[in-house]
Amino acid sequence: MNSGATGTIRDNRILKTCPINSTNEMKKVPRGDTDVVVDNIHKILLVRWKDNAVVSVVSNISPVYPLESVSRWSAKDKKKISVSRPYFIGDYNRHMDGTDRMDQNINCYRISIRMKNWWWPTFSWVIDATIQNCWLLHRADESNLPLLSFKRYIAWTYPPQAEPRVGIGRPRQSSRVIPDVRYDNNGHLVEPLGKQAWKCALSSCKSRPSQGCMKCGVPLCVKCFVKYNRRAL
Ligand SMILES: [Zn+2]
Ligand SMILES: [Zn+2]
């Protein structure tokens, strides 16, 4: 076999007879400790490394050494500490892509709502995977927006569209109208409020309008309507 590969491996894929420290044993060792087993016949290396959790990595191309030192936050010492790490694990992190990267991204901010339906985990995974892919496209296009902010944007953007509501009371949540909705030039219609609002949503205006924007869900006077929904250049 001529192709080289490095990847993480699940504990249940490692034979019980493999003479490497078990995950439970590795949990007790100090952070940065490494245990190594080499299969000289198949030229495969198995490494268990203790970081925040225990990581198992196999490779048929990379050597364990040199060790590099990485900076980690220690919850116990309440400061950054330096932890040693086999160089090829860092190499794997730097070059991993595709499925591994997707799994890692999804795991960061997985949908945490639990349901009893059998299909729920698959369904919520599809949403997570779709959002992850959209985020990658968004990043490739223009921005450095973190995944968490991207997910927040989605959560903010869609509910107001599904249920437009114009508030007449003191404007408390006007900051919830995110720019992507406010300036999208689509479906911003005047709606009568039936009552005079507390204040126009345009911060520079002090009038009390009796109509508002249906999509943004904020009170607006007629003269402020365009100003509010057009991005200032
Ligand atoms: Zn609007
Ligand atoms: Zn106004």
Side-chain angles (χ1 to χ4, degrees):
M1 190 171 70
N2 292 324
S3 38
T6 301
T8 50
I9 183 167
R10 287 184 176 207
D11 288 354
N12 59 8
R13 294 280 165 200
I14 300 169
L15 283 175
K16 290 251 173 3
T17 48
C18 176
I20 194 164
N21 281 341
S22 73
T23 305
N24 280 339
E25 283 165 337
M26 286 299 286
K27 277 181 186 162
K28 295 175 201 145
V29 302
R31 216 163 157 179
D33 268 22
T34 310
D35 195 22
V36 186
V37 167
V38 182
D39 175 349
N40 269 326
I41 300 165
H42 300 100
K43 301 274 181 267
I44 293 175
L45 179 78
L46 169 61
V47 175
R48 271 219 169 104
W49 173 61
K50 168 83 183 293
D51 191 14
N52 206 8
V54 178
V55 186
S56 310
V57 182
V58 276
S59 179
N60 62 353
I61 41 165
S62 312
V64 182
Y65 300 102
L67 296 174
E68 61 183 347
S69 101
V70 285
S71 153
R72 289 283 191 271
W73 175 257
S74 161
K76 202 175 88 197
D77 304 335
K78 294 209 169 37
K79 62 170 183 181
K80 286 208 163 175
I81 53 167
S82 132
V83 173
S84 64
R85 169 174 79 180
Y87 186 80
F88 87 96
I89 292 188
D91 227 29
Y92 166 74
N93 274 335
R94 281 184 285 273
H95 293 115
M96 75 189 225
D97 215 343
T99 317
D100 288 333
R101 181 70 73 193
M102 182 179 80
D103 285 343
Q104 192 189 37
N105 290 339
I106 289 178
N107 269 328
C108 283
Y109 309 112
R110 188 183 281 281
I111 294 174
S112 58
I113 304 167
R114 294 196 178 215
M115 305 278 246
K116 285 196 173 142
N117 318 38
W118 63 266
W119 46 263
W120 176 254
T122 315
F123 178 72
S124 60
W125 180 87
V126 168
I127 297 178
D128 276 331
T130 311
I131 292 179
Q132 195 268 162
N133 289 342
C134 294
W135 174 65
L136 289 180
L137 287 175
H138 184 74
R139 270 168 66 99
D141 195 29
E142 50 178 323
S143 77
N144 280 324
L145 195 70
L147 180 57
L148 181 61
S149 313
F150 188 76
K151 281 202 148 181
R152 255 187 211 140
Y153 252 58
I154 293 172
W156 278 341
T157 308
Y158 288 95
Q161 284 183 321
E163 206 180 308
R165 209 157 32 89
V166 178
I168 49 170
R170 200 187 272 267
R172 271 171 300 171
Q173 292 189 327
S174 56
S175 58
R176 274 198 58 176
V177 186
I178 60 158
D180 282 1
V181 170
R182 186 168 157 183
Y183 306 121
D184 70 354
N185 273 333
N186 184 12
H188 293 270
L189 301 170
V190 183
E191 187 180 52
L193 300 176
K195 219 169 151 185
Q196 232 183 355
W198 183 268
K199 190 193 159 300
C200 173
L202 201 75
S203 50
S204 57
C205 174
K206 293 275 185 293
S207 346
R208 299 187 58 192
S210 42
Q211 68 284 313
C213 175
M214 202 175 186
K215 186 168 184 178
C216 300
V218 294
L220 281 169
C221 1
V222 175
K223 67 178 168 58
C224 300
F225 201 89
V226 173
K227 221 174 182 180
Y228 184 84
N229 284 301
R230 179 183 290 161
R231 197 189 292 270
L233 295 170

